[in-house]
Amino acid sequence: DSREFATGLSIEGLSSRRFSMRGAADYTRTTYAYDSIYSNSETRLSFVPRVAVSDGSVFFFEGALGFRNYLNPLELSAYDTIFAPGRSGKISKIDSAFKATNSSFSQYVLGLGFAQFIGERSVLGFVGSITRTPNLRAYITSAAVAAKKKKVRAAVQVADDEYTYDLDRITVFNTDRIFYDLDLSIDGSYEHRLYGSAYGPGGKVIPGEKGRKQNGYFLNVSLGKVIPLETPLMGVFRSVSLEGRMEYASVKASQTLYSYSASNLTATASLGF
Protein backbone atom coordinates (compact mmCIF):
# COMPACT_ATOMS: atom_id res chain seq x y z
CA ASP A 1 0.00 0.00 0.00
CA SER A 2 1.65 3.24 -1.11
CA ARG A 3 0.77 6.78 -2.07
CA GLU A 4 2.72 9.08 -4.35
CA PHE A 5 2.51 12.80 -5.00
CA ALA A 6 4.49 14.23 -7.91
CA THR A 7 4.76 17.66 -9.46
CA GLY A 8 7.15 19.23 -11.92
CA LEU A 9 7.97 22.21 -14.06
CA SER A 10 9.89 22.32 -17.33
CA ILE A 11 10.81 24.94 -19.90
CA GLU A 12 12.30 24.44 -23.35
CA GLY A 13 13.59 26.97 -25.82
CA LEU A 14 14.79 26.76 -29.42
CA SER A 15 17.16 29.70 -29.64
CA SER A 16 18.29 28.91 -33.18
CA ARG A 17 17.79 26.33 -35.90
CA ARG A 18 20.63 24.25 -34.47
CA PHE A 19 20.42 24.73 -30.70
CA SER A 20 17.80 24.03 -28.04
CA MET A 21 17.81 23.81 -24.26
CA ARG A 22 15.41 22.10 -21.85
CA GLY A 23 15.40 22.59 -18.09
CA ALA A 24 13.19 20.80 -15.57
CA ALA A 25 12.51 20.58 -11.84
CA ASP A 26 10.58 17.65 -10.36
CA TYR A 27 9.43 16.80 -6.84
CA THR A 28 8.12 13.41 -5.69
CA ARG A 29 6.92 12.27 -2.28
CA THR A 30 6.19 8.57 -1.75
CA THR A 31 4.79 7.05 1.45
CA TYR A 32 4.27 3.40 2.37
CA ALA A 33 1.70 2.44 4.99
CA TYR A 34 3.28 -0.88 6.00
CA ASP A 35 6.92 -0.37 4.99
CA SER A 36 7.40 3.15 6.25
CA ILE A 37 11.21 2.95 6.17
CA TYR A 38 10.93 3.22 2.38
CA SER A 39 8.92 6.47 2.53
CA ASN A 40 10.92 9.24 0.89
CA SER A 41 10.86 12.59 -0.84
CA GLU A 42 12.98 13.43 -3.88
CA THR A 43 13.86 16.62 -5.72
CA ARG A 44 15.53 16.47 -9.13
CA LEU A 45 16.87 19.29 -11.30
CA SER A 46 17.95 18.60 -14.89
CA PHE A 47 19.00 20.35 -18.06
CA VAL A 48 19.42 18.94 -21.59
CA PRO A 49 21.00 21.07 -24.36
CA ARG A 50 20.97 19.78 -27.95
CA VAL A 51 23.22 20.90 -30.78
CA ALA A 52 22.68 20.00 -34.45
CA VAL A 53 26.06 19.96 -36.19
CA SER A 54 24.37 19.23 -39.53
CA ASP A 55 20.88 18.56 -40.80
CA GLY A 56 21.10 14.91 -39.77
CA SER A 57 23.58 14.88 -36.87
CA VAL A 58 22.70 15.90 -33.32
CA PHE A 59 24.73 15.97 -30.10
CA PHE A 60 22.84 16.12 -26.82
CA PHE A 61 24.11 16.58 -23.29
CA GLU A 62 22.53 15.88 -19.90
CA GLY A 63 23.18 17.22 -16.44
CA ALA A 64 21.09 16.45 -13.37
CA LEU A 65 21.15 16.89 -9.60
CA GLY A 66 19.08 14.67 -7.34
CA PHE A 67 18.30 14.84 -3.61
CA ARG A 68 16.50 12.06 -1.74
CA ASN A 69 15.51 11.98 1.91
CA TYR A 70 14.02 8.92 3.63
CA LEU A 71 11.30 10.13 5.97
CA ASN A 72 11.32 7.32 8.55
CA PRO A 73 14.79 5.73 8.58
CA LEU A 74 15.34 2.47 10.41
CA GLU A 75 16.46 2.88 14.03
CA LEU A 76 18.13 0.10 15.96
CA SER A 77 18.73 -0.15 19.71
CA ALA A 78 21.58 -2.39 20.90
CA TYR A 79 21.37 -4.00 24.33
CA ASP A 80 23.99 -5.87 26.32
CA THR A 81 24.22 -7.30 29.81
CA ILE A 82 27.34 -7.52 31.95
CA PHE A 83 28.32 -8.51 35.49
CA ALA A 84 29.75 -5.44 37.16
CA PRO A 85 33.30 -6.06 38.61
CA GLY A 86 33.30 -6.59 42.37
CA ARG A 87 29.55 -7.02 42.50
CA SER A 88 29.12 -10.66 41.71
CA GLY A 89 25.61 -11.51 40.73
CA LYS A 90 24.49 -7.98 39.92
CA ILE A 91 23.50 -7.37 36.32
CA SER A 92 23.81 -4.01 34.66
CA LYS A 93 22.08 -3.28 31.35
CA ILE A 94 23.69 -1.10 28.74
CA ASP A 95 21.28 0.49 26.29
CA SER A 96 22.94 2.05 23.28
CA ALA A 97 20.49 3.46 20.72
CA PHE A 98 21.52 4.58 17.27
CA LYS A 99 20.21 5.01 13.75
CA ALA A 100 21.37 2.21 11.51
CA THR A 101 22.20 4.55 8.62
CA ASN A 102 21.93 8.12 7.49
CA SER A 103 18.85 8.87 5.43
CA SER A 104 19.80 11.80 3.16
CA PHE A 105 21.38 11.19 -0.24
CA SER A 106 22.47 13.36 -3.14
CA GLN A 107 23.77 12.55 -6.62
CA TYR A 108 24.73 14.09 -9.93
CA VAL A 109 24.45 12.76 -13.48
CA LEU A 110 26.53 13.75 -16.51
CA GLY A 111 25.72 12.38 -19.94
CA LEU A 112 26.65 12.77 -23.59
CA GLY A 113 24.89 11.36 -26.63
CA PHE A 114 24.90 11.48 -30.41
CA ALA A 115 22.21 10.65 -32.96
CA GLN A 116 22.62 10.31 -36.71
CA PHE A 117 19.41 10.45 -38.75
CA ILE A 118 19.69 8.42 -41.95
CA GLY A 119 17.04 9.56 -44.36
CA GLU A 120 13.54 9.72 -42.94
CA ARG A 121 13.27 6.13 -41.71
CA SER A 122 16.33 5.41 -39.59
CA VAL A 123 18.33 6.79 -36.66
CA LEU A 124 21.55 5.42 -35.14
CA GLY A 125 23.31 6.71 -32.04
CA PHE A 126 24.85 6.22 -28.62
CA VAL A 127 24.47 7.58 -25.08
CA GLY A 128 27.08 7.50 -22.31
CA SER A 129 26.55 8.66 -18.74
CA ILE A 130 28.04 8.60 -15.25
CA THR A 131 26.12 8.84 -12.00
CA ARG A 132 27.91 9.70 -8.79
CA THR A 133 26.67 9.88 -5.20
CA PRO A 134 29.16 11.93 -3.12
CA ASN A 135 27.94 10.44 0.18
CA LEU A 136 27.72 6.91 -1.22
CA ARG A 137 26.59 4.30 1.32
CA ALA A 138 23.93 1.64 1.76
CA TYR A 139 20.51 2.54 3.13
CA ILE A 140 19.66 -0.20 5.66
CA THR A 141 16.04 -1.43 5.64
CA SER A 142 16.26 -4.21 8.24
CA ALA A 143 18.80 -5.54 10.71
CA ALA A 144 19.20 -8.61 12.91
CA VAL A 145 21.87 -8.77 15.62
CA ALA A 146 23.01 -12.02 17.21
CA ALA A 147 25.54 -12.45 20.03
CA LYS A 148 27.79 -15.51 19.93
CA LYS A 149 30.76 -16.02 22.23
CA LYS A 150 30.64 -12.38 23.27
CA LYS A 151 30.99 -11.26 19.66
CA VAL A 152 28.13 -9.37 18.07
CA ARG A 153 27.30 -10.19 14.47
CA ALA A 154 24.88 -8.15 12.40
CA ALA A 155 22.94 -9.19 9.32
CA VAL A 156 21.29 -6.42 7.33
CA GLN A 157 19.25 -5.79 4.22
CA VAL A 158 19.77 -2.67 2.14
CA ALA A 159 17.68 -0.76 -0.36
CA ASP A 160 18.59 -1.22 -4.01
CA ASP A 161 17.80 2.11 -5.63
CA GLU A 162 19.73 4.57 -7.80
CA TYR A 163 21.07 6.42 -4.75
CA THR A 164 22.90 3.39 -3.33
CA TYR A 165 25.42 2.92 -6.17
CA ASP A 166 27.66 4.80 -8.60
CA LEU A 167 26.89 3.95 -12.21
CA ASP A 168 28.77 4.06 -15.52
CA ARG A 169 26.66 3.21 -18.57
CA ILE A 170 26.98 3.26 -22.34
CA THR A 171 24.14 2.46 -24.74
CA VAL A 172 24.06 2.01 -28.53
CA PHE A 173 20.65 2.28 -30.20
CA ASN A 174 19.08 1.98 -33.63
CA THR A 175 15.49 2.62 -34.73
CA ASP A 176 14.20 1.87 -38.24
CA ARG A 177 10.89 2.03 -40.01
CA ILE A 178 11.03 -1.08 -42.14
CA PHE A 179 8.60 -2.78 -44.53
CA TYR A 180 4.85 -2.43 -43.92
CA ASP A 181 5.70 0.62 -41.77
CA LEU A 182 6.82 -1.57 -38.89
CA ASP A 183 9.03 0.15 -36.29
CA LEU A 184 12.08 -1.89 -35.32
CA SER A 185 14.13 -0.74 -32.31
CA ILE A 186 17.32 -2.31 -30.98
CA ASP A 187 19.47 -1.09 -28.11
CA GLY A 188 22.34 -2.66 -26.24
CA SER A 189 23.89 -1.43 -23.00
CA TYR A 190 26.86 -2.11 -20.77
CA GLU A 191 26.88 -0.82 -17.21
CA HIS A 192 29.18 -0.93 -14.21
CA ARG A 193 27.86 -0.39 -10.69
CA LEU A 194 29.72 0.21 -7.44
CA TYR A 195 27.42 -0.14 -4.43
CA GLY A 196 27.89 1.69 -1.14
CA SER A 197 28.91 -0.29 1.94
CA ALA A 198 26.73 -0.74 5.02
CA TYR A 199 28.22 0.85 8.13
CA GLY A 200 27.56 -0.01 11.76
CA PRO A 201 27.22 2.39 14.70
CA GLY A 202 30.98 2.51 15.20
CA GLY A 203 31.57 3.78 11.68
CA LYS A 204 33.01 0.47 10.46
CA VAL A 205 31.74 -1.63 7.57
CA ILE A 206 29.43 -4.42 8.76
CA PRO A 207 31.08 -7.80 7.98
CA GLY A 208 29.88 -9.12 4.65
CA GLU A 209 28.32 -5.80 3.68
CA LYS A 210 31.21 -4.20 1.84
CA GLY A 211 29.95 -2.56 -1.33
CA ARG A 212 29.82 -4.93 -4.27
CA LYS A 213 30.90 -4.38 -7.86
CA GLN A 214 28.52 -5.37 -10.62
CA ASN A 215 28.85 -5.52 -14.42
CA GLY A 216 25.91 -6.10 -16.71
CA TYR A 217 25.00 -6.46 -20.38
CA PHE A 218 21.48 -5.67 -21.56
CA LEU A 219 19.74 -6.11 -24.92
CA ASN A 220 16.27 -4.90 -25.91
CA VAL A 221 14.56 -5.55 -29.24
CA SER A 222 11.06 -4.37 -30.08
CA LEU A 223 8.89 -4.55 -33.19
CA GLY A 224 5.70 -2.51 -33.35
CA LYS A 225 3.16 -0.85 -35.57
CA VAL A 226 0.64 1.95 -35.15
CA ILE A 227 -2.54 1.37 -37.13
CA PRO A 228 -4.63 4.54 -37.60
CA LEU A 229 -8.41 4.07 -37.65
CA GLU A 230 -10.24 5.97 -40.36
CA THR A 231 -13.43 5.69 -38.33
CA PRO A 232 -12.79 6.21 -34.59
CA LEU A 233 -13.57 3.07 -32.60
CA MET A 234 -16.49 3.73 -30.23
CA GLY A 235 -16.26 7.31 -31.42
CA VAL A 236 -13.15 7.87 -29.26
CA PHE A 237 -10.15 5.70 -30.18
CA ARG A 238 -8.26 6.78 -33.31
CA SER A 239 -5.45 4.22 -33.46
CA VAL A 240 -4.33 0.76 -32.40
CA SER A 241 -0.73 0.06 -31.32
CA LEU A 242 0.77 -3.43 -31.43
CA GLU A 243 4.21 -4.29 -30.03
CA GLY A 244 6.34 -7.33 -29.37
CA ARG A 245 9.41 -6.97 -27.14
CA MET A 246 12.37 -9.17 -26.19
CA GLU A 247 14.61 -8.27 -23.22
CA TYR A 248 17.81 -10.01 -22.16
CA ALA A 249 20.16 -9.29 -19.24
CA SER A 250 23.39 -10.90 -18.03
CA VAL A 251 24.86 -9.59 -14.75
CA LYS A 252 27.96 -10.67 -12.85
CA ALA A 253 28.65 -9.37 -9.34
CA SER A 254 31.54 -9.62 -6.89
CA GLN A 255 29.02 -11.18 -4.48
CA THR A 256 27.76 -14.17 -6.48
CA LEU A 257 24.33 -13.97 -4.82
CA TYR A 258 23.59 -11.02 -7.11
CA SER A 259 24.78 -12.59 -10.38
CA TYR A 260 22.01 -13.57 -12.77
CA SER A 261 20.83 -13.85 -16.37
CA ALA A 262 17.26 -13.30 -17.50
CA SER A 263 15.19 -13.08 -20.66
CA ASN A 264 11.66 -11.87 -21.17
CA LEU A 265 9.20 -11.81 -24.07
CA THR A 266 6.12 -9.59 -24.03
CA ALA A 267 3.34 -8.65 -26.45
CA THR A 268 1.10 -5.61 -25.94
CA ALA A 269 -1.86 -4.00 -27.66
CA SER A 270 -3.23 -0.56 -26.83
CA LEU A 271 -5.78 1.95 -28.08
CA GLY A 272 -4.89 5.60 -28.72
CA PHE A 273 -7.12 8.66 -28.57
Side-chain angles (χ1 to χ4, degrees), residues 89-224:
K90 185 174 180 180
I91 298 177
S92 299
K93 183 175 72 172
I94 299 175
D95 177 7
S96 176
F98 60 90
K99 289 185 178 179
T101 186
N102 293 330
S103 58
S104 296
F105 294 81
S106 63
Q107 69 172 204
Y108 64 86
V109 181
L110 297 175
L112 169 67
F114 174 77
Q116 177 65 53
F117 293 85
I118 305 171
E120 297 180 352
R121 302 174 68 90
S122 181
V123 60
L124 175 67
F126 75 89
V127 179
S129 66
I130 63 170
T131 301
R132 294 292 183 269
T133 301
N135 53 344
L136 183 64
R137 60 187 180 277
Y139 174 67
I140 297 177
T141 59
S142 68
V145 179
K148 185 177 181 180
K149 295 183 179 180
K150 296 184 180 181
K151 292 184 178 180
V152 176
R153 296 183 179 181
V156 304
Q157 289 184 340
V158 300
D160 189 355
D161 62 45
E162 64 272 23
Y163 284 84
T164 59
Y165 55 81
D166 285 341
L167 173 66
D168 300 317
R169 174 188 287 161
I170 185 167
T171 300
V172 178
F173 62 88
N174 176 232
T175 300
D176 298 284
R177 176 153 289 183
I178 57 177
F179 50 84
Y180 299 117
D181 284 338
L182 292 169
D183 294 320
L184 174 65
S185 296
I186 303 174
D187 67 77
S189 302
Y190 166 79
E191 67 175 39
H192 170 74
R193 297 184 183 188
L194 174 61
Y195 282 80
S197 301
Y199 292 87
K204 296 182 178 180
V205 175
I206 296 174
E209 295 300 331
K210 183 179 179 180
R212 71 181 185 272
K213 295 180 180 179
Q214 189 169 293
N215 299 312
Y217 296 90
F218 304 88
L219 176 66
N220 299 288
V221 180
S222 68
L223 183 65

Side-chain angles (χ1 to χ4, degrees), residues 237-249:
F237 302 106
R238 298 181 178 276
S239 65
V240 177
S241 298
L242 304 175
E243 184 185 52
R245 176 178 291 273
M246 185 276 289
E247 300 173 326
Y248 173 77

